[in-house]
Amino acid sequence: GDSVTQMEGPVTLSEEAFLTINCTYTATGYPSLFWYVQYPGEGLQLLLKATKADDKGSNKGFEATYRKETTSFHLEKGSVQVSDSAVYFCALRMAGGGNKLTFGTGTQLKVEL
Amino acid sequence: GAVVSQHPSRVICKSGTSVKIECRSLDFQATTMFWYRQFPKQSLMLMATSNEGSKATYEQGVEKDKFLINHASLTLSTLTVTSAHPEDSSFYICSARVRRGSYNEQFFGPGTRLTVL
């Protein structure tokens, strides 16, 4: 079946460091890919998405590029802030899948001063 | 933006009792809501799709008689864990679907932590 694998956390970085959170997927077709962020005490929020190969999603300084050849959708940010501390979830959705999202396990990011 | 609330945020109950969790869309109507379950260090697992005015659609392996879902209005879906046991302890998350142009987006609630003693 479809699945998403992302790096285990927690990831601890100093402020202004470069961030990469790896995400790879397994799917029978060509899914749409998503990154969600969950701040403490809040629900998951859509951070960015990409719907086809080579698309780049971006938001709030975060970016991820849909790489079909490596089945990856790694999340990057050039300079993290303390306020970016959260749990980040990679997810996929197949076309015609009734809006069903398949999530990775989540990666906790801690940014320190 | 679209806000989804859940109540309660935490609940502790005794084994054998039933627990109801509410999911509300606060500033929009949602014909479709989803219920997820999350175990520690694991991904969110879709349990069921809740459709307003009709029966919920359960994922394979989810007991519909144990996890009762009622979507009685366009802003409220409830999940009742019946005869709860310690293995039902988990983090339950709901989401509501909103149409954004040609795309459906899900907005998530903050989750409910259930602990069964």
Side-chain angles (χ1 to χ4, degrees), chain A residues 14-107:
Chain A
S14 299
E15 202 169 42
E16 299 184 0
F18 184 86
L19 168 72
T20 300
I21 300 178
N22 291 335
C23 171
T24 57
Y25 67 89
T26 301
T28 53
Y30 300 104
S32 295
L33 301 173
F34 306 83
W35 276 102
Y36 283 84
V37 58
Q38 185 177 31
Y39 298 104
E42 300 183 17
L44 277 73
Q45 303 172 27
L46 179 64
L47 180 59
L48 53 85
K49 69 179 188 286
T51 58
K52 61 183 187 295
D54 300 325
D55 269 1
K56 177 185 284 187
S58 61
N59 185 25
K60 299 181 181 179
F62 290 88
E63 292 183 340
T65 301
Y66 189 142
R67 301 285 188 200
K68 187 176 70 173
E69 62 276 13
T70 55
T71 61
S72 65
F73 193 55
H74 304 322
L75 182 68
E76 297 181 337
K77 185 174 185 181
S79 176
V80 293
Q81 306 298 313
V82 172
S83 57
D84 293 326
S85 298
V87 180
Y88 292 82
F89 292 89
C90 185
L92 68 80
R93 187 183 70 193
M94 297 304 299
N99 215 57
K100 177 180 176 179
L101 288 165
T102 300
F103 286 90
T105 54
T107 302

Side-chain angles (χ1 to χ4, degrees), chain B residues 55-86:
Chain B
K55 291 183 179 180
T57 304
Y58 290 82
E59 295 298 302
Q60 190 173 11
V62 178
E63 299 176 60
K64 62 180 181 181
D65 294 331
K66 180 162 189 64
F67 298 100
L68 300 179
I69 292 173
N70 184 9
H71 195 154
S73 78
L74 288 172
T75 59
L76 173 65
S77 175
T78 59
L79 168 67
T80 301
V81 183
T82 62
S83 186
H85 290 283

Side-chain angles (χ1 to χ4, degrees), chain A residues 9 34 36 38 41-46 49 51 89 93 98-106, chain B residues 34 36 38 41-46 49 59 91 93 97 103-111:
Chain A
F34 306 83
Y36 283 84
Q38 185 177 31
E42 300 183 17
L44 277 73
Q45 303 172 27
L46 179 64
K49 69 179 188 286
T51 58
F89 292 89
R93 187 183 70 193
N99 215 57
K100 177 180 176 179
L101 288 165
T102 300
F103 286 90
T105 54
Chain B
F34 302 89
Y36 295 85
Q38 185 182 26
K41 300 187 183 298
Q42 296 187 26
S43 61
L44 281 73
M45 301 299 297
L46 180 65
T49 302
E59 295 298 302
F91 195 56
I93 301 172
R97 187 173 73 182
Y103 172 70
N104 288 318
E105 186 171 344
Q106 287 187 40
F107 292 89
F108 288 80

